Amino acid sequence: MTDEVENQRGLLISFEGAEGSGKTTQIARLKDRFEALGHKVVLIREPGGTDVGEEIRDLLKHNDTGDTIFPETELLLFAASRAQLVREKILPALEAGKVILCDRYLDSTTVYQGVARQLSEDPVTYINEFAVGNLMPDLTVVLDLEPELSMQRVKERNSGKPDRMERENIEFYRAVREGYLLLVRSLPERFSVFDGSLSKEAIELAIWNEINQRFFDD
Ligand code: TYD
């Protein structure tokens, strides 16, 4: 099957959670820890991460033309960006034995477009799997945060205008949070959830312990 992607030798770890949940900080810290042990690390940002993907990212985030982006369009654009990313960046890095840390991956689509925008589950699942060629993360770290806190952090970090997603209301963020927690409960072997309201240091250590337990302990 040409759609399927196989033979991964490195490690693929994705980070998920609402805006302001601390993904970027934790990814940077984890990168340092892996590098201190001599691993080669690749950081990936979604949507984007390739030239094609960055154009899609701009389209999705800013869309200042005033045109509506329908949920179906949104789903296909995120999937298109990821399809490119998997084949152009992630697979070659995995095959070279690198550790890949993804700031969002296909679970963002399941949660934002599927749960929060309420698109039907079957097409979302199918399109997601098609886009990644069934390349699933070895581990998905979810940073869980109260929606109120998430929105407050976004406001604080945003000196300028909030982007399209960040203008969504609290109900949207509640749905996002619930969507992630549902995934964590249904796929505990792939997901680990961490309390995003704890200190950066505490979260960093908890994630590192989890990774060591899963992949490096005998
Ligand atoms: P970004 O600035 O990367 O947000 P964050 O720092 O919180 O990750 O913007 C990505 C936005 O796109 C974010 O609001 C989540 C949303 N998104 C989806 O709706 N579906 C997806 O598949 C992905 C990857 C992101």
Side-chain angles (χ1 to χ4, degrees):
M1 276 248 297
T2 52
D3 299 345
E4 298 227 354
V5 145
E6 44 188 305
N7 185 25
Q8 67 182 71
R9 286 187 274 119
L11 204 54
L12 177 59
I13 302 177
S14 60
F15 279 71
E16 297 283 352
E19 288 71 5
S21 58
K23 296 186 301 300
T24 312
T25 306
Q26 291 304 329
I27 287 172
R29 290 176 176 222
L30 188 55
K31 174 176 188 279
D32 290 346
R33 284 188 180 256
F34 270 118
E35 284 179 345
L37 294 182
H39 293 275
K40 294 242 177 339
V41 179
V42 175
L43 299 188
I44 297 280
R45 173 178 83 152
E46 277 230 27
T50 62
D51 289 349
V52 169
E54 289 299 327
E55 295 213 12
I56 296 176
R57 180 184 179 90
D58 279 352
L59 199 62
L60 278 162
K61 284 188 64 121
H62 297 292
N63 186 39
D64 282 338
T65 57
D67 295 338
T68 306
I69 297 189
F70 294 97
E72 291 80 358
T73 315
E74 203 176 75
L75 167 68
L76 292 166
L77 287 173
F78 280 116
S81 169
R82 187 169 309 121
Q84 185 73 20
L85 188 62
V86 164
R87 289 155 185 86
E88 190 179 316
K89 293 271 165 72
I90 299 181
L91 267 181
L94 271 180
E95 278 161 11
K98 295 179 183 170
V99 173
I100 297 136
L101 304 180
C102 288
D103 194 337
R104 300 189 179 282
Y105 195 56
L106 85 173
D107 304 302
S108 283
T109 303
T110 305
V111 167
Y112 283 79
Q113 281 63 56
V115 180
R117 298 247 193 262
Q118 299 178 342
L119 287 175
S120 318
E121 199 178 323
D122 285 354
V124 172
T125 304
Y126 177 74
I127 288 165
N128 253 346
E129 288 176 357
F130 177 72
V132 301
N134 285 333
L135 182 71
M136 301 305 274
D138 298 295
L139 168 68
T140 299
V141 169
V142 172
L143 296 174
D144 178 51
L145 200 60
E146 295 278 340
E148 288 77 8
L149 200 50
S150 178
M151 284 193 102
Q152 187 189 322
R153 287 190 187 173
V154 168
K155 265 193 205 127
E156 280 162 11
R157 84 177 170 196
N158 254 333
S159 41
K161 207 167 82 176
D163 70 34
R164 213 170 59 80
M165 289 295 192
E166 289 165 354
R167 289 196 293 268
E168 293 292 345
N169 64 24
I170 192 84
E171 288 311 322
F172 186 84
Y173 288 101
R174 287 211 178 98
V176 166
R177 183 185 195 205
E178 282 315 308
Y180 278 125
L181 293 178
L182 206 68
L183 280 178
V184 170
R185 283 196 292 273
S186 58
L187 290 168
E189 61 290 350
R190 174 158 73 84
F191 285 90
S192 271
V193 62
F194 299 88
D195 179 351
S197 68
L198 297 179
S199 73
K200 291 172 182 167
E201 289 67 31
I203 301 171
E204 177 187 348
L205 194 62
I207 294 174
W208 188 239
N209 286 340
E210 178 71 24
I211 288 173
N212 277 292
Q213 242 172 42
R214 281 184 182 245
F215 304 113
F216 301 113
D217 282 357
D218 290 326

